């Protein structure tokens, strides 16, 4: 049984106008999102800004209240709790099982607390006694590759990469079952980014963590994830195991994304292919398939009928009417 | 693959020390801090610094110009002031008392003068400087006297106490109101926020001077100085809290979205813990800065109210009341020293503003 | 390297005054911008790539100053000017900005005013240098927008920047940089704030404009992919020094400097095997006020020669040549 199962998750923001705040429309930040994460698996949620990947992550963490859908979380085998309807208070004891790694290593640490206190805070909240807390903080610092002396220092003394390690140590303090990483390396320098990616991979191997990895960088995602879900304008358009998704994408948008990445190889010069047009506005997505105005393979059906996410013989899930007939190119 | 730490004493510096270090770099603010501290020392020891009884009137010594203390005479070190001698002006036939260098009155430190209570508790009559032997008419008039023969310097010392304390008390009241209402506004949001914000807007849209006039006119004439004093502080803070409430609400809203506050929530921290451990420490520095910027506004309010005759009334002594004496151009032409009362007002307002700026810059390293 | 450079930077050094003393942001930086060629400048945060651009345009922050070196416009010709000798506020320098050297910002919003329409700002920039009159300038503004790939430029010319998407804004930013018809263009992380599909569009556009107009483009980025796709030559910078300077294919196929080697290996690979670890460089980029002695990279260098790399810095890359600033290479010769 998977550790997390998201069913029909939607988050709509009303657009209000006038003195009486009448609702005149809705931003469908996330619309009928379905996926699951197996134990020990990393699922990457990728897409461009505004596609709803962060909204989905925040709904799972219940930093936001989803408009509809269920979030079935299973901390233990055979146990299943729907997080979506729970109140703040009811969520509190469950929080220790799902932890968040932030994008911005500067904003996510309280500048007024010493690193030792930051890492110990989850333990303190969980009621771990002082002696144990201190021992565990040292253990965690070692786990993320920081020296013991870091304990008595303030976050401002650390570089971006080191701060991200502190954030990871805090997230791991209560031995969570699921980690939600929201663009954890996108604010870091290339050389530091590599260190953090390796750290996350090592930690996952050692601790058997499950992870939802939200990112926009397809290169990073390739290294980190087991499966990838691609989002476009609030909806998932394709889900597949990483290797299969990169080699043989089954949705024209996935193909476009892969083609747009500048390859770090001058021999593949001029291999950037930019799709025409712009990302659709989630407040007024095009009818039918949201990608149809930019899609080179568009047919009349795409303009009127919204494709559902369906399983293909290859094991891919794709929301494209022509997924079976098209031969799309990925990364060789 | 442990990474090296910056081996810097700053690394272990707490937020308070960092703020202090940054604050010290702000030279003007640093100097202002001392000026403000000096003013509050004056306020605390006002009676001890005063030389003559600030309330004692004597027509004979009206409009005496500022008098210096002569430190030396022919015999060497002998601090003294000149005594006063009555002379008839042969043009106006008015009897005027003017300093007579021939009469030397010895000045000593820690002299005995009028009686007062130190800190309002300890009865004493020791003053920092004074005449060796108190005289009925003569005295040390460092900044001259007013029409009624009261020593301006002594009155300024005592006025400092009232003017600064009125500012402090008003800010204290404003702060309580501001944090409470601003905090509620920011924390709960929704209709509570809307209601409080509208009230603030209404209060801020009322023109202050007519409002003050109305309220001051409503104060019964029979009230004692103390009652008026508290009424004035209430009036001032009634307007003052709105600004602080906005600052507090703004910080609250901003902090609620901060990643580290969300992080605490994700750890399962209670609302109370998030408030006390994460939000409050991050905005105390802002509140301190806001307060140091609000204080001069309060002081100015009191001064202008009293200057217009709407605030404190004689026999109370405040900067505004001292300046009231300097309202008349004709009086000023004859006794320009009365304008000295404006100097501490300007000085303390400037100092507070620089201090507030410095604190605000120092308090927010990340913003 | 083909044509005569339009702009040569020679042994440029820039320092910033800070509370803790002076910080050297650039140290002996030399590079050449040639017509029709793209120079990619790559490096991590604090390497000085943006400072270089700002120094060339003489728009350093007030606490920064050029302390050594030359910035030669049209070197070797009779019109040669050393930009470091000009007053940043002088008429001559203002003539260089816009008319000779255009700048494209990372965040187009920082170049555009919210209060004026796109057309207003373009027309102002066109008329600033060689005023052709208002209506001609407007026509030219529309052409510039069309050149920048903006659909329906006749209507967009009257739009305000906030009415445009991020991608369109960057296109306007590019049009604005081209308004003075410069032959040198500096693009400072022009696609970092954009999504990958928009980035692809902007890069394609930049490439096309640069080729059509035979522009010398200096492209500053931290993204090795962008460099590989766009640049002809590249300069790798680390803590204010150019550590390697060579044609882009040479750098990618046989990097000379240990930092370049490590940096290239730490780039995530689209063709990686699942859960493949990346090569890393130990430690982090030092703070600019804590510059290591000797070669600035020596504390992180896997091939460090102790007693040598930490004593004095290796010689900078000779101007106008391909090479690296490293003792390993000096020894090999």
């Amino acid at each position: 049984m998977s550790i997390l199962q998201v069913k029909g998750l939607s988050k709509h923001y009303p657009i209000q106008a006038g003195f009486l705040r009448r609702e005149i429309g809705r931003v469908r930040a996330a619309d009928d999102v379905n996926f699951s994460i197996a134990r020990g698996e990393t699922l990457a949620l990728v897409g461009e800004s505004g596609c709803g990947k962060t909204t989905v992550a925040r709904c799972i963490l219940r930093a936001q209240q989803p408009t509809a859908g269920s979030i079935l979380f299973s901390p233990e085998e055979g146990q299943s709790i729907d997080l979506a309807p729970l109140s703040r208070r009811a969520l509190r004891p469950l929080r220790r099982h799902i932890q968040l790694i932030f994008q911005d290593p500067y904003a996510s640490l309280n500048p007024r607390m010493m690193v030792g206190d930051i890492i110990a805070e989850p333990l303190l909240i969980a009621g771990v006694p002082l002696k144990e807390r201190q021992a565990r903080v040292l253990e965690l610092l070692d786990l993320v590759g920081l020296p013991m002396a870091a304990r008595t220092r303030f976050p401002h003394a650390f570089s971006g990469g080191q701060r991200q390690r502190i954030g990871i140590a805090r997230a791991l303090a209560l031995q969570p079952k699921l980690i939600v990483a929201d663009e954890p390396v996108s604010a870091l320098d290339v050389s530091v980014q590599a260190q953090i990616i390796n750290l996350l991979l090592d930690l996952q191997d050692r601790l058997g963590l499950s992870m939802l990895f939200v990112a926009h960088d397809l290169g990073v995602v390739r290294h980190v994830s087991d499966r990838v879900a691609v989002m476009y304008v609030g909806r998932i358009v394709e889900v597949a195991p990483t290797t299969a998704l990169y080699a043989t994408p089954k949705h024209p948008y996935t193909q476009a994304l892969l083609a747009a990445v500048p390859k770090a190889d001058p021999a593949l010069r001029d291999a950037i292919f930019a799709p025409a047009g712009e990302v659709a506005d989630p407040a007024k997505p095009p009818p039918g398939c949201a990608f149809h105005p930019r899609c080179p393979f568009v047919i009349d059906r795409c303009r009127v009928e919204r494709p559902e996410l369906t399983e293909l013989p290859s094991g891919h899930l794709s929301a494209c009417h022509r997924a079976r007939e098209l031969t799309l190119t990925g990364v060789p | 693959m442990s990474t090296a730490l910056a081996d810097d004493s700053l690394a272990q510096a707490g937020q308070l020390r960092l703020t202090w270090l940054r604050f010290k770099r702000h030279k003007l603010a640093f100097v202002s801090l001392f000026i403000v501290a000096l003013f509050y020392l004056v306020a605390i020891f006002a009676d001890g610094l005063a030389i003559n009884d600030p309330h004692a009137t004597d027509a004979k010594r009206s409009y005496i110009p500022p008098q210096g203390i002569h430190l030396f005479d022919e015999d060497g070190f002998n601090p003294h002031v000149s005594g006063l001698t009555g002379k008839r002006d042969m043009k106006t036939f008015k009897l005027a008392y003017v300093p007579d260098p021939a009469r030397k009155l010895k000045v000593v430190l820690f002299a005995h003068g009028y009686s007062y209570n130190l800190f309002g508790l300890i009865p004493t009559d020791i003053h920092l400087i004074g005449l060796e032997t108190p005289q009925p008419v003569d005295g040390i008039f460092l900044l001259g006297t007013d029409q009624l023969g009261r020593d301006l310097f002594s009155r300024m010392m005592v006025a400092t106490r009232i003017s600064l304390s009125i500012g402090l008390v008003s800010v204290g009241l404003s702060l309580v109101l501001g944090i409470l209402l601003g905090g509620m506004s920011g924390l709960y949001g929704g209709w509570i926020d809307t209601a409080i914000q509208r009230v603030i807007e209404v209060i801020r849209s009322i023109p202050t001077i007519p409002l003050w006039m109305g309220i001051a006119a409503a104060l019964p004439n029979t009230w004692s100085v103390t009652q008026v004093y508290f009424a004035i502080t209430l009036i001032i803070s009634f307007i003052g809290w709105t600004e602080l409430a906005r600052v507090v609400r703004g910080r609250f809203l901003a902090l609620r979205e901060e990643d580290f506050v969300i992080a605490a929530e994700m750890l399962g921290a209670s609302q109370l813990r998030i408030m006390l451990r994460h939000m409050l420490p991050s905005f105390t520095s802002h509140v301190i800065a806001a307060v140091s910027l609000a204080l001069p506004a309060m002081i100015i309010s009191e001064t202008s109210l009293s200057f217009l005759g709407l605030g404190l009334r004689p026999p109370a002594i405040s900067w505004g009341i001292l300046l009231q004496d300097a309202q008349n151009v004709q009086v000023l032409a004859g006794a320009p020293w009365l304008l000295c009362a404006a100097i501490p007002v300007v000085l303390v307002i400037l100092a507070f503003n620089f201090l507030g700026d410095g604190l605000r810059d120092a308090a927010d390293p990340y913003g | 390297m083909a044509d005569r450079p339009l702009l040569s930077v020679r042994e440029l050094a820039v320092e910033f005054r800070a509370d803790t003393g002076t910080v050297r942001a650039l140290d002996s930086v030399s590079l050449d911008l040639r017509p029709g060629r793209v120079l990619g400048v790559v490096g991590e945060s604090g390497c000085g790539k943006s400072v270089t651009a700002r120094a060339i345009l003489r728009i350093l922050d007030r606490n920064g100053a050029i302390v050594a070196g030359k910035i030669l416009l049209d070197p070797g010709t009779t019109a040669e000017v050393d930009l470091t000798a000009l007053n940043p506020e002088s008429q001559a320098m203002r003539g260089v900005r816009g008319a000779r050297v255009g700048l494209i910002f990372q965040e187009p919003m920082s170049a555009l005013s919210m209060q004026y329409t796109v057309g207003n700002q373009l027309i102002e920039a066109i008329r600033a240098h060689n005023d052709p009159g208002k209506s001609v300038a407007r026509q030219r503004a529309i052409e510039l927008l069309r050149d920048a790939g903006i659909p329906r430029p006749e209507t967009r010319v009257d739009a305000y920047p906030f009415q445009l998407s991020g991608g369109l804004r960057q296109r306007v930013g590019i049009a604005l940089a081209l308004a003075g018809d410069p032959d040198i263009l500096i693009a400072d992380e022009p696609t970092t704030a954009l999504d990958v599909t928009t980035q692809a569009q902007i890069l394609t556009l930049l490439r096309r404009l640069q080729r059509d107009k035979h522009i010398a483009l200096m492209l500053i980025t931290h993204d090795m992919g962008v460099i590989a796709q766009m640049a002809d030559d590249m300069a790798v910078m680390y803590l204010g020094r150019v550590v390697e300077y060579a044609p882009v294919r040479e750098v990618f196929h046989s990097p000379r400097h240990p930092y370049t080697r490590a940096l290239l290996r730490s780039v995530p690979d689209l063709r990686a095997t699942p859960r493949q670890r990346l090569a890393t460089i130990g430690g982090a980029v030092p703070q600019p006020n804590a510059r290591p002695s000797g070669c600035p990279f020596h504390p992180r260098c896997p091939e460090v020669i102790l007693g040598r790399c930490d004593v004095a810095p290796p010689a900078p890359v000779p101007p106008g040549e391909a090479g690296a600033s490293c003792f390993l290479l000096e020894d090999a010769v």
Side-chain angles (χ1 to χ4, degrees), chain C residues 170-205:
Chain C
Q170 191 54 292
R171 286 175 192 270
V172 173
I174 291 171
L176 199 60
L178 292 173
D181 207 13
D183 49 2
I184 303 166
L185 207 49
I186 299 178
D188 189 358
E189 303 263 9
T191 57
T192 304
L194 303 174
D195 278 318
V196 61
T197 57
T198 320
Q199 161 171 288
Q201 293 170 350
I202 297 291
L203 291 179
T204 317
L205 169 71

Short mmCIF file of all heavy atoms in Angstrom, two decimals, chain C residues 170-205:
data_model
loop_
_atom_site.label_atom_id
_atom_site.label_comp_id
_atom_site.label_asym_id
_atom_site.label_seq_id
_atom_site.Cartn_x
_atom_site.Cartn_y
_atom_site.Cartn_z
N GLN C 170 10.51 40.33 -20.81
CA GLN C 170 11.93 40.18 -21.14
C GLN C 170 12.15 40.53 -22.61
O GLN C 170 13.17 41.10 -22.97
CB GLN C 170 12.42 38.77 -20.80
CG GLN C 170 13.92 38.60 -20.84
CD GLN C 170 14.68 39.61 -19.98
OE1 GLN C 170 14.71 40.81 -20.26
NE2 GLN C 170 15.28 39.13 -18.91
N ARG C 171 11.17 40.23 -23.45
CA ARG C 171 11.30 40.62 -24.87
C ARG C 171 11.32 42.14 -24.98
O ARG C 171 12.09 42.69 -25.77
CB ARG C 171 10.14 40.05 -25.68
CG ARG C 171 10.28 38.55 -25.92
CD ARG C 171 9.04 38.00 -26.63
NE ARG C 171 9.03 36.55 -26.61
CZ ARG C 171 9.58 35.80 -27.58
NH1 ARG C 171 10.13 36.38 -28.61
NH2 ARG C 171 9.55 34.50 -27.50
N VAL C 172 10.48 42.81 -24.20
CA VAL C 172 10.51 44.28 -24.20
C VAL C 172 11.87 44.76 -23.70
O VAL C 172 12.46 45.70 -24.26
CB VAL C 172 9.37 44.86 -23.32
CG1 VAL C 172 9.52 46.37 -23.20
CG2 VAL C 172 8.02 44.51 -23.90
N GLY C 173 12.39 44.10 -22.65
CA GLY C 173 13.71 44.45 -22.13
C GLY C 173 14.77 44.34 -23.22
O GLY C 173 15.67 45.19 -23.32
N ILE C 174 14.66 43.32 -24.05
CA ILE C 174 15.61 43.14 -25.14
C ILE C 174 15.43 44.25 -26.18
O ILE C 174 16.40 44.85 -26.65
CB ILE C 174 15.45 41.74 -25.77
CG1 ILE C 174 15.91 40.68 -24.77
CG2 ILE C 174 16.22 41.63 -27.08
CD1 ILE C 174 15.60 39.26 -25.16
N ALA C 175 14.17 44.55 -26.51
CA ALA C 175 13.89 45.63 -27.45
C ALA C 175 14.48 46.94 -26.95
O ALA C 175 15.08 47.71 -27.70
CB ALA C 175 12.38 45.77 -27.68
N LEU C 176 14.35 47.17 -25.63
CA LEU C 176 14.86 48.39 -25.03
C LEU C 176 16.39 48.45 -25.14
O LEU C 176 16.97 49.49 -25.43
CB LEU C 176 14.42 48.45 -23.57
CG LEU C 176 14.45 49.79 -22.87
CD1 LEU C 176 13.54 50.78 -23.57
CD2 LEU C 176 14.00 49.62 -21.42
N ALA C 177 17.02 47.30 -24.92
CA ALA C 177 18.48 47.26 -25.00
C ALA C 177 18.95 47.53 -26.43
O ALA C 177 20.04 48.05 -26.65
CB ALA C 177 18.99 45.90 -24.52
N LEU C 178 18.11 47.18 -27.41
CA LEU C 178 18.49 47.35 -28.81
C LEU C 178 18.07 48.71 -29.36
O LEU C 178 18.38 49.03 -30.51
CB LEU C 178 17.86 46.24 -29.66
CG LEU C 178 18.42 44.84 -29.40
CD1 LEU C 178 17.60 43.81 -30.16
CD2 LEU C 178 19.88 44.76 -29.82
N ALA C 179 17.34 49.51 -28.56
CA ALA C 179 16.76 50.76 -29.06
C ALA C 179 17.82 51.71 -29.59
O ALA C 179 17.62 52.41 -30.58
CB ALA C 179 15.95 51.44 -27.96
N GLY C 180 18.99 51.75 -28.96
CA GLY C 180 20.05 52.65 -29.41
C GLY C 180 20.92 52.04 -30.49
O GLY C 180 21.95 52.60 -30.82
N ASP C 181 20.51 50.88 -31.01
CA ASP C 181 21.23 50.17 -32.05
C ASP C 181 22.70 49.92 -31.66
O ASP C 181 23.62 50.29 -32.38
CB ASP C 181 21.17 50.98 -33.36
CG ASP C 181 21.30 50.04 -34.55
OD1 ASP C 181 21.18 48.82 -34.34
OD2 ASP C 181 21.55 50.52 -35.66
N PRO C 182 22.92 49.29 -30.51
CA PRO C 182 24.29 49.06 -30.06
C PRO C 182 24.93 47.90 -30.83
O PRO C 182 24.21 47.06 -31.38
CB PRO C 182 24.11 48.68 -28.59
CG PRO C 182 22.78 48.02 -28.54
CD PRO C 182 21.94 48.68 -29.58
N ASP C 183 26.26 47.88 -30.91
CA ASP C 183 26.91 46.71 -31.51
C ASP C 183 27.47 45.76 -30.46
O ASP C 183 28.03 44.74 -30.78
CB ASP C 183 27.98 47.14 -32.52
CG ASP C 183 28.93 48.19 -31.94
OD1 ASP C 183 28.77 48.54 -30.77
OD2 ASP C 183 29.82 48.64 -32.69
N ILE C 184 27.32 46.16 -29.19
CA ILE C 184 27.71 45.28 -28.09
C ILE C 184 26.50 45.14 -27.17
O ILE C 184 25.81 46.12 -26.88
CB ILE C 184 28.89 45.87 -27.28
CG1 ILE C 184 30.08 46.13 -28.21
CG2 ILE C 184 29.28 44.97 -26.14
CD1 ILE C 184 31.15 47.01 -27.59
N LEU C 185 26.27 43.92 -26.73
CA LEU C 185 25.12 43.67 -25.86
C LEU C 185 25.60 42.87 -24.66
O LEU C 185 26.33 41.88 -24.81
CB LEU C 185 24.07 42.87 -26.66
CG LEU C 185 22.60 42.99 -26.31
CD1 LEU C 185 22.16 44.43 -26.19
CD2 LEU C 185 21.77 42.27 -27.34
N ILE C 186 25.21 43.31 -23.48
CA ILE C 186 25.54 42.55 -22.28
C ILE C 186 24.23 42.03 -21.70
O ILE C 186 23.32 42.81 -21.42
CB ILE C 186 26.26 43.42 -21.23
CG1 ILE C 186 27.57 43.95 -21.82
CG2 ILE C 186 26.52 42.63 -19.97
CD1 ILE C 186 28.34 44.87 -20.90
N ALA C 187 24.12 40.73 -21.56
CA ALA C 187 22.91 40.12 -21.01
C ALA C 187 23.27 39.47 -19.68
O ALA C 187 24.04 38.52 -19.64
CB ALA C 187 22.33 39.10 -21.98
N ASP C 188 22.74 40.04 -18.58
CA ASP C 188 23.08 39.55 -17.24
C ASP C 188 22.00 38.59 -16.77
O ASP C 188 20.94 39.01 -16.35
CB ASP C 188 23.22 40.76 -16.29
CG ASP C 188 23.77 40.35 -14.94
OD1 ASP C 188 24.01 39.15 -14.73
OD2 ASP C 188 23.96 41.23 -14.08
N GLU C 189 22.29 37.30 -16.84
CA GLU C 189 21.33 36.26 -16.46
C GLU C 189 19.96 36.54 -17.07
O GLU C 189 18.96 36.62 -16.35
CB GLU C 189 21.20 36.19 -14.93
CG GLU C 189 22.50 35.95 -14.20
CD GLU C 189 22.72 34.49 -13.83
OE1 GLU C 189 21.94 33.64 -14.29
OE2 GLU C 189 23.68 34.21 -13.10
N PRO C 190 19.86 36.66 -18.38
CA PRO C 190 18.60 37.14 -18.97
C PRO C 190 17.45 36.15 -18.84
O PRO C 190 16.30 36.55 -19.00
CB PRO C 190 18.95 37.35 -20.44
CG PRO C 190 20.09 36.42 -20.69
CD PRO C 190 20.87 36.37 -19.42
N THR C 191 17.73 34.89 -18.53
CA THR C 191 16.64 33.91 -18.50
C THR C 191 16.50 33.24 -17.15
O THR C 191 15.68 32.33 -16.99
CB THR C 191 16.86 32.82 -19.56
OG1 THR C 191 18.13 32.21 -19.33
CG2 THR C 191 16.84 33.41 -20.96
N THR C 192 17.27 33.69 -16.16
CA THR C 192 17.24 33.00 -14.87
C THR C 192 15.88 33.08 -14.20
O THR C 192 15.46 32.15 -13.52
CB THR C 192 18.31 33.63 -13.94
OG1 THR C 192 19.55 33.55 -14.63
CG2 THR C 192 18.41 32.90 -12.63
N ALA C 193 15.17 34.20 -14.41
CA ALA C 193 13.88 34.36 -13.74
C ALA C 193 12.75 33.71 -14.53
O ALA C 193 11.60 33.77 -14.12
CB ALA C 193 13.58 35.85 -13.53
N LEU C 194 13.07 33.07 -15.65
CA LEU C 194 12.01 32.58 -16.53
C LEU C 194 11.86 31.06 -16.47
O LEU C 194 12.79 30.35 -16.09
CB LEU C 194 12.32 32.99 -17.97
CG LEU C 194 12.50 34.50 -18.22
CD1 LEU C 194 12.96 34.74 -19.65
CD2 LEU C 194 11.22 35.25 -17.92
N ASP C 195 10.71 30.60 -16.88
CA ASP C 195 10.47 29.16 -16.97
C ASP C 195 11.22 28.59 -18.16
O ASP C 195 11.60 29.30 -19.08
CB ASP C 195 8.98 28.91 -17.16
CG ASP C 195 8.26 28.94 -15.85
OD1 ASP C 195 8.80 28.38 -14.88
OD2 ASP C 195 7.18 29.53 -15.79
N VAL C 196 11.36 27.26 -18.13
CA VAL C 196 12.23 26.63 -19.12
C VAL C 196 11.72 26.82 -20.56
O VAL C 196 12.52 27.08 -21.46
CB VAL C 196 12.49 25.15 -18.76
CG1 VAL C 196 11.21 24.35 -18.74
CG2 VAL C 196 13.50 24.53 -19.70
N THR C 197 10.41 26.76 -20.79
CA THR C 197 9.96 26.93 -22.18
C THR C 197 10.11 28.38 -22.62
O THR C 197 10.48 28.65 -23.76
CB THR C 197 8.49 26.48 -22.38
OG1 THR C 197 7.66 27.20 -21.48
CG2 THR C 197 8.33 25.01 -22.15
N THR C 198 9.87 29.32 -21.70
CA THR C 198 10.07 30.73 -22.02
C THR C 198 11.55 31.02 -22.21
O THR C 198 11.94 31.77 -23.11
CB THR C 198 9.53 31.61 -20.87
OG1 THR C 198 8.33 31.04 -20.39
CG2 THR C 198 9.27 33.02 -21.34
N GLN C 199 12.38 30.41 -21.38
CA GLN C 199 13.82 30.57 -21.50
C GLN C 199 14.26 30.15 -22.90
O GLN C 199 15.03 30.84 -23.55
CB GLN C 199 14.54 29.73 -20.45
CG GLN C 199 15.98 29.48 -20.77
CD GLN C 199 16.74 28.84 -19.63
OE1 GLN C 199 17.02 29.46 -18.64
NE2 GLN C 199 17.07 27.57 -19.77
N ALA C 200 13.74 29.02 -23.36
CA ALA C 200 14.11 28.54 -24.69
C ALA C 200 13.73 29.56 -25.75
O ALA C 200 14.50 29.81 -26.69
CB ALA C 200 13.43 27.20 -24.96
N GLN C 201 12.56 30.17 -25.58
CA GLN C 201 12.14 31.18 -26.55
C GLN C 201 13.08 32.39 -26.54
O GLN C 201 13.50 32.88 -27.59
CB GLN C 201 10.71 31.66 -26.24
CG GLN C 201 9.66 30.57 -26.44
CD GLN C 201 8.29 30.98 -25.90
OE1 GLN C 201 8.17 32.00 -25.22
NE2 GLN C 201 7.29 30.19 -26.20
N ILE C 202 13.41 32.86 -25.35
CA ILE C 202 14.26 34.05 -25.24
C ILE C 202 15.67 33.76 -25.77
O ILE C 202 16.27 34.58 -26.47
CB ILE C 202 14.32 34.53 -23.78
CG1 ILE C 202 12.92 34.95 -23.30
CG2 ILE C 202 15.31 35.67 -23.60
CD1 ILE C 202 12.39 36.21 -23.95
N LEU C 203 16.18 32.57 -25.47
CA LEU C 203 17.52 32.23 -25.96
C LEU C 203 17.54 32.17 -27.48
O LEU C 203 18.47 32.66 -28.13
CB LEU C 203 17.98 30.89 -25.36
CG LEU C 203 18.28 30.90 -23.86
CD1 LEU C 203 18.71 29.52 -23.39
CD2 LEU C 203 19.34 31.94 -23.50
N THR C 204 16.49 31.57 -28.04
CA THR C 204 16.40 31.49 -29.50
C THR C 204 16.38 32.90 -30.10
O THR C 204 17.06 33.17 -31.10
CB THR C 204 15.12 30.73 -29.92
OG1 THR C 204 14.99 29.60 -29.07
CG2 THR C 204 15.19 30.25 -31.35
N LEU C 205 15.60 33.76 -29.46
CA LEU C 205 15.50 35.14 -29.93
C LEU C 205 16.85 35.85 -29.87
O LEU C 205 17.29 36.50 -30.83
CB LEU C 205 14.48 35.89 -29.07
CG LEU C 205 14.44 37.41 -29.24
CD1 LEU C 205 13.86 37.77 -30.59
CD2 LEU C 205 13.64 38.07 -28.13
#
